[in-house]
Amino acid sequence: MSNMFFPHSPSLTLFFCFCLFFSFSYAHYKHHENPTCDCATAHNNSHEKIPTKARNSPPALNSSQEIPTKPSNSAPAHNSSHEVPTKPGNSSPAHNSSHEVPTKPGNSSPAHNSSHEVPTKPGNPSPAHNSSHEVPTKPGAHNSSNEVPTKPGNSSPLNNNSHDTSTRHNNFIGCFHKVYAFGDSYTDTGNANLVGGLKENFTRTSSSSEKSNNGLCDGHLMVDFLCDALKLPHLPPFQSTSVNFTNGANFAIAGSTILPKQDFLTQKLTSLFWKGIPLNFQTQIDWFNKLKQQMGCTDNNGKSCKTELENALFWIGSVGVSDYARIQGSSLSTRWLTQQSVQQVSRLIEAVLQSGAKYIVVQGLPPIGCLPLHISLCPVKAALDHMGCAAAVNAAVMVHNQILQRRLEKFRRLYPNCHILYADYWNAYLTIKMNLQKYQFEEAFKPCCGAVEGPLNFNLHSLCGSPGTVKCNNPSKFISWDGIHLSEAMNQKVTDLFLNQGFCQPSFSELVKSKSGM
């Protein structure tokens, strides 16, 4: 058997072993050439990195990247604390040492700044809704473009080619046959004088000007120019006993206050141009109710007079101008005064609306910090802003106007059939102040009538009409009449901006169109 398979020849044995080895080697090679699955293959497939789409992969964590919040959430739209805004970068308007008291025209006076800075646009709702709404800042150190402020709510500038700022009498003739006015010395046509409230020097000033009817101006007030535009007689003061009120009445009281009587006794507040304690604003509401009784109103709300009152124009002038000066040096805060002032205006608006009024114009406050009265009350020059105005007072006025506009929005929602306009006194005033030449003025700060001392010709203890005070030859070149009140020329130009240049929101022309049924 062994001889059959394994012959004894050495060569044959060697050949047979070689063939057997070759067969096993070939079989092993073919086995690895066509694998079915083994641990090595399974292991490699389980770790294979299959690429995913970039948009599905989460971003790498970056500790510096926070989830962005909505811009509207970064600050509340309405700050219930009503804090007085200060200038960016300054903790208080009082800490700006670079602002000097304005000097004569031609010198380094803020009134004659060639940069002609542009005040904030009246079309914007209020400083509270725009963090850039502060006391207007300079666009640049030197602005050679002399840019003119734009109309409220419009992107185009006012017409530079027209220098006619007189009231256009033909626009509104016959629209209203009655006007009822409220307010302070900027609107009063004689009530304070008739009740014996004015000090003697103001009474003497009144007799020296044929056109002046309240002793606090060299001529006509805004409400007078309003009546001219409507082709109505000038409004008689309600305290007048020699006239009727066929075409309306004026309830405004110069120097009237929202401050309680007790504050004048405990806080030692100044009465400015009043003898003793001035009348409260509530007096004007009482007078209005008294007139309604005289008109034959048989009920407290005036329902029986509704038809007559709803066709009249109600003009609510400035409220609180004198009070901002009175509280200087007292423990009363401007924030408190601002809230009280707007509350008083609100009560007045509500009173006329409930009586049937449908057409109401409500004035905001002008930048009274630019009046010599408030500039003189600044404890240090550093308390003045870049325009030379009392920064803290103007900041408070901005908050006043902001809150007032929000209140007017509420009244519009409550009385959708009524037309309630906001007269943007702030921007109307600054539009003129920043463009003196365009509006034919030469002096933005100094009063026409006042003391002949100091850089502003103003002395709180020696007001216009007092011994030693003098009057200028041409009041029409002055914005200020006596350092507290405006000149007739300024009143006329502001009235034109209100009635004809879109500085009421909505515009006065829209109110007229609605009244006329156009």
Side-chain angles (χ1 to χ4, degrees), residues 24 42-43 88-89 113 128 158 175 185 190 196 274 290 364 382 406 432 483:
F24 280 107
H43 178 77
N113 190 335
L158 296 172
C175 181
S185 55
W274 255 84
K290 184 177 180 179
R406 291 208 299 263
I432 296 172

Side-chain angles (χ1 to χ4, degrees), residues 80-84 324 327 332-341 396 399 403:
S80 59
S81 65
H82 303 307
E83 294 192 346
V84 176
Y324 281 99
I327 67 169
L332 301 176
S333 69
T334 54
R335 183 190 306 176
W336 174 85
L337 177 59
T338 294
Q339 294 170 340
Q340 294 299 312
S341 297
V399 176
I403 302 172

Side-chain angles (χ1 to χ4, degrees), residues 26-294:
Y26 182 77
H28 181 73
Y29 169 76
K30 293 296 290 182
H31 173 76
H32 284 280
E33 184 181 35
N34 298 298
T36 53
C37 182
D38 58 28
C39 292
T41 304
H43 178 77
N44 288 340
N45 288 342
S46 67
H47 286 75
E48 186 175 12
K49 294 183 179 180
I50 302 175
T52 57
K53 293 182 180 180
R55 60 185 175 87
N56 292 335
S57 58
L61 294 178
N62 186 344
S63 60
S64 66
Q65 293 177 341
E66 296 183 295
I67 298 176
T69 57
K70 293 182 180 179
S72 59
N73 293 338
S74 60
H78 302 290
N79 189 343
S80 59
S81 65
H82 303 307
E83 294 192 346
V84 176
T86 56
K87 296 165 68 177
N90 295 342
S91 59
S92 167
H95 299 287
N96 189 343
S97 58
S98 64
H99 304 310
E100 300 288 334
V101 176
T103 55
K104 293 181 178 180
N107 295 338
S108 57
S109 166
H112 301 278
N113 190 335
S114 60
S115 65
H116 287 253
E117 59 202 79
V118 181
T120 53
K121 291 171 63 178
N124 292 340
S126 69
H129 301 293
N130 186 342
S131 59
S132 66
H133 278 235
E134 297 162 20
V135 177
T137 55
K138 295 181 180 179
H142 299 284
N143 187 350
S144 59
S145 64
N146 293 338
E147 207 169 3
V148 179
T150 56
K151 288 184 181 181
N154 292 342
S155 57
S156 60
L158 296 172
N159 186 356
N160 288 335
N161 297 325
S162 172
H163 293 273
D164 177 20
T165 57
S166 62
T167 49
R168 294 154 176 78
H169 293 176
N170 294 328
N171 288 0
F172 313 121
I173 295 176
C175 181
F176 291 98
H177 300 289
K178 286 181 182 290
V179 175
Y180 296 103
F182 303 82
D184 56 16
S185 55
Y186 283 24
T187 309
D188 180 12
T189 54
N191 282 314
N193 206 352
L194 290 171
V195 298
L198 294 182
K199 294 179 179 178
E200 291 182 2
N201 56 299
F202 292 102
T203 305
R204 288 197 301 269
T205 304
S206 175
S207 61
S208 64
S209 175
E210 294 181 359
K211 293 186 294 183
S212 177
N213 49 23
N214 70 353
L216 302 173
C217 179
D218 62 311
H220 296 146
L221 306 177
M222 274 183 276
V223 69
D224 296 322
F225 290 113
L226 168 69
C227 290
D228 289 342
L230 298 173
K231 210 64 175 179
L232 294 176
H234 290 177
L235 294 183
F238 179 70
Q239 286 301 300
S240 176
T241 58
S242 59
V243 297
N244 58 43
F245 303 109
T246 304
N247 298 111
N250 192 336
F251 304 100
I253 306 173
S256 55
T257 180
I258 59 95
L259 299 170
K261 181 178 180 179
Q262 188 64 25
D263 285 342
F264 281 89
L265 300 175
T266 59
Q267 298 287 339
K268 297 181 180 180
L269 305 179
T270 177
S271 60
L272 294 178
F273 44 83
W274 255 84
K275 296 177 183 178
I277 299 175
L279 293 178
N280 192 276
F281 265 102
Q282 180 61 38
T283 303
Q284 299 183 39
I285 300 178
D286 296 339
W287 287 355
F288 174 58
N289 291 331
K290 184 177 180 179
L291 178 62
K292 288 192 298 181
Q293 292 177 358
Q294 295 176 5

Side-chain angles (χ1 to χ4, degrees), residues 442-490:
E442 294 179 358
E443 178 54 60
F445 287 96
K446 291 182 181 180
C448 169
C449 179
V452 289
E453 57 197 47
L456 291 176
N457 292 347
F458 179 82
N459 186 336
L460 181 59
H461 304 292
S462 183
L463 297 175
C464 177
S466 300
T469 60
V470 297
K471 291 184 290 185
C472 66
N473 293 326
N474 190 356
S476 66
K477 299 300 181 182
F478 289 72
I479 284 181
S480 175
W481 162 243
D482 60 2
I484 302 175
H485 308 94
L486 305 181
S487 66
E488 178 187 49
M490 183 63 169

Side-chain angles (χ1 to χ4, degrees), residues 6-18:
F6 299 100
H8 291 281
S9 173
S11 59
L12 290 175
T13 302
L14 181 62
F15 175 78
F16 179 79
C17 290
F18 174 78

Side-chain angles (χ1 to χ4, degrees), residues 491-512:
N491 287 329
Q492 181 184 31
K493 291 174 173 61
V494 171
T495 306
D496 178 68
L497 293 180
F498 285 164
L499 302 185
N500 303 300
Q501 302 294 336
F503 279 76
C504 281
Q505 299 131 33
S507 70
F508 192 78
S509 60
E510 290 180 41
L511 180 145
V512 170

